[in-house]
Amino acid sequence: MSNGWPTPPGRKTCSRGSGRTARPSSTTSSPICTSDGPKVVRTPGLWEEIKAHGYTGGYGAVRAYLQPFRTTPTAPAARPPSPRTVTSWILTHPDTLPESERLKLKAVLASCPELDALTGHVRAFGKMLTQLQGDQLPQWIKAVRADDLPSVHSFVNGLERDLAAVTAGLTLPWSSGVVEGHVNRIKMIKRQMYGRAGFGLLRKRVLLAS
């Protein structure tokens, strides 16, 4: 007993750090490396088992012996970016892409040559579109045909069906975007009035909105 009290009859004294045997926790376990690979070994269970075979040491000695064989749990791998995220990186101009996202995209492209080739074609087409370089369209189509990218080949087939118009759209400064915008606005107004008014009211709403 501590604090000056005498030890009760039949009990043995035990000084701190003398290797006393305490009741081990049943939850003490972690992987250890064995000849068959990492295995989960519960120290209390192992201690109880070897005691049954005549081991007279304490629980602390068994735990200390197993400690060098413990393996440190590895951190979970980072979650890969979603297809939507990678698509947004590819469609973003390289000069405006943040450095952190640029490095992530670089790592993704390094592991997928087909995606790397697709990214090059997308950016080349974006350059033609924004800088009105329609004269480079034939060379771009030829480069796409040289790669095994069936989905992009389908896109090219659509371009070649109306090649003259596509070339003009990538070369001339005029655009039908304003007309398309007005068409969409009229369709929206028509849907708002569907089943409640006729052409006369639709005409007034379109003209007044203009």
Side-chain angles (χ1 to χ4, degrees), residues 114-115 118 122 140 144-145 147-158:
E114 292 80 6
L115 191 59
L118 174 63
V122 169
W140 182 85
V144 170
R145 293 290 190 192
D147 290 327
D148 186 17
L149 300 171
S151 58
V152 188
H153 292 175
S154 300
F155 175 70
V156 168
N157 293 337

Side-chain angles (χ1 to χ4, degrees), residues 36-111:
D36 298 328
K39 291 184 177 180
V40 175
V41 176
R42 294 185 180 275
T43 306
L46 179 61
W47 179 59
E48 295 287 352
E49 182 179 348
I50 61 177
K51 277 181 61 180
H53 289 278
Y55 177 71
T56 59
Y59 168 76
V62 177
R63 182 176 59 182
Y65 176 79
L66 293 177
Q67 189 61 35
F69 301 97
R70 301 291 183 189
T71 59
T72 303
T74 57
R79 183 178 181 181
S82 65
R84 182 186 296 272
T85 301
V86 176
T87 301
S88 66
W89 292 344
I90 294 175
L91 295 178
T92 302
H93 195 283
D95 295 341
T96 61
L97 197 64
E99 181 67 15
S100 59
E101 296 181 356
R102 187 183 65 81
L103 293 177
K104 292 178 182 178
L105 176 60
K106 183 178 180 180
V108 172
L109 299 183
S111 60

Side-chain angles (χ1 to χ4, degrees), residues 4-5 29 51 70 74 108 115 138 159 176 180 192 195 209:
W5 288 91
S29 64
K51 277 181 61 180
R70 301 291 183 189
T74 57
V108 172
L115 191 59
L159 297 181
S176 62
E180 294 295 336
Q192 292 175 343

